[in-house]
């Protein structure tokens, strides 16, 4: 059987191969799959026994390509459903990765070392402000120091923490 006659569907395929490829790429959104489907289209028409009875050969060619694209898309949908589909919010694990947990724990331990390495008054001001959420005025009243001294201790604590982390 001659797969590439000089006339008929095979010649028409060669004439419209680029258009078929563009059409299939648009349909399936994947150039590699479109190339495979274009080749499959050729194989289907190359073995067609009765090309003379087709009224509109170009339309027939694109109908074969469209049917192949639809079959491909349906199989992708079935595969997606069979494989439990795309990951949805209800099955996504909210737990952080173990290496991220370890890294975060190490950073927290490092920060604790820095904080406990601060001078006692500076450390107390920092913890009251950042951990207990107290205002500078509340801290100054509680520790019997001026608000400017509280600011000074906070600046010193933050500078020390930045230096250690950089």
């Amino acid at each position: 059987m001659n797969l590439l006659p000089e006339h008929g569907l095979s010649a028409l395929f060669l004439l419209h191969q680029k258009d078929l490829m563009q059409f299939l790429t648009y349909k399936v959104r994947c150039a590699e799959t479109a190339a495979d489907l274009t080749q499959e289209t050729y194989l289907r028409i190359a073995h067609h026994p009765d090309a003379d009875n087709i009224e509109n050969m170009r339309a027939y060619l694109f109908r074969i390509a469209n049917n192949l694209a639809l079959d491909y898309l349906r199989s992708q949908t079935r595969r997606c459903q069979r494989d439990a589909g795309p990951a949805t919010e209800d099955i996504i694990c909210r737990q952080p990765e173990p290496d991220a947990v370890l890294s975060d724990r190490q950073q927290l331990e490092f920060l604790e070392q820095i904080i406990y390495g601060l001078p006692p008054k500076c450390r107390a001001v920092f913890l009251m402000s950042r951990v207990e959420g107290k205002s500078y005025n509340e801290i100054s009243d509680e520790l019997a120091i001026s608000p400017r001294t509280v600011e000074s201790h906070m600046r010193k604590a933050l500078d020390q923490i930045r230096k250690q982390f950089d």
Side-chain angles (χ1 to χ4, degrees), residues 9-25:
L9 287 174
S10 294
L12 185 69
F13 172 82
L14 293 175
L15 183 65
H16 295 292
Q17 184 175 4
K18 184 178 177 184
D19 294 334
L20 274 172
M21 182 70 176
Q22 288 175 338
F23 171 75
L24 288 168
T25 302

Side-chain angles (χ1 to χ4, degrees), residues 5 16 19 39 51 76 90 104 111 135 138 140-141 144 158:
H16 295 292
D19 294 334
Q39 185 175 2
Q76 290 299 97
D90 58 331
D104 292 346
L111 179 60
S135 70
E138 292 172 326
S140 71
D141 290 342
L158 292 173

